[in-house]
Amino acid sequence: DLSRLRVLVANLRRRKLRVFGVQGGGQLSEDALQELGLIAVPAGKDAPLPNDNRGHRRSRAESLGSRNKVVHAPVRSGQMIVSEHGDLTVIGSVASGAEVVASGSIHVYGALRGRAMAGAHGDESARIFCRCLEAELVAIAGLYQTSETLEDAARERCTHVYLEDDRLRMEVIG
């Protein structure tokens, strides 16, 4: 419906979002699109990734689609590190204001002061491990706790965060 699209586009632009096109709007005429300052965007197609022929052997995890990411430096405030297809390991600390996100588990060999979100694609078996829990937020598969609700016994301790019975649990390790 053109009137609903007109309202949506106006609201998005008011929020300083750049709207340039419509996908799947086959029933909209070229004149209607032009009136809204939009173009028709054809549906994309999946293209194969370029073949990497460097002759290296792939690990079992890589062949299954899991690609773990290792960061060999502290994650600074304002940074966001994402491991889209596997675990994320940070050899260092995660500063307040930083975010670490993984589709699998997160391992922080330092203080976790920022936000950690494991199981980003809904993996309820994902876990968060850290040497010192001081996080602003921890989340697994969308269930989260903020710094105000973290268990006191786990604060500033080596901690393992996991899901059990649809609740976040924190276990002090070591």
Side-chain angles (χ1 to χ4, degrees), residues 4-110:
R4 288 177 51 204
L5 181 60
R6 186 176 288 119
V7 170
L8 174 64
V9 169
N11 282 332
L12 292 172
R13 287 181 175 152
R14 207 173 12 261
R15 290 179 170 87
K16 306 262 190 266
L17 293 172
R18 295 182 183 173
V19 182
F20 66 90
V22 175
Q23 187 177 48
Q27 68 275 14
L28 295 171
S29 70
E30 277 296 318
D31 291 336
L33 290 174
Q34 191 168 3
E35 175 191 331
L36 294 170
L38 301 173
I39 62 169
V41 179
K45 294 183 178 150
D46 289 335
L49 293 173
N51 194 1
D52 185 2
N53 290 326
R54 287 190 232 159
H56 73 283
R57 291 182 6 178
R58 291 173 35 169
S59 71
R60 182 171 180 269
E62 285 178 314
S63 64
L64 294 174
S66 176
R67 291 183 295 280
N68 299 324
K69 183 181 241 179
V70 178
V71 177
H72 294 274
V75 181
R76 292 186 166 83
S77 181
Q79 279 187 299
M80 179 183 204
I81 306 293
V82 178
S83 178
E84 188 70 35
H85 301 286
D87 291 355
L88 173 62
T89 301
V90 177
I91 301 173
S93 296
V94 176
S96 178
E99 286 187 14
V100 288
V101 181
S103 64
S105 295
I106 296 174
H107 308 261
V108 178
Y109 293 101

Side-chain angles (χ1 to χ4, degrees), residues 145-166:
Q145 284 188 0
T146 60
S147 59
E148 295 83 24
T149 60
L150 291 178
E151 295 176 16
D152 287 333
R155 286 182 195 272
E156 300 180 10
R157 309 270 312 268
C158 188
T159 305
H160 167 213
V161 182
Y162 59 97
L163 274 180
E164 183 179 75
D165 299 325
D166 293 325

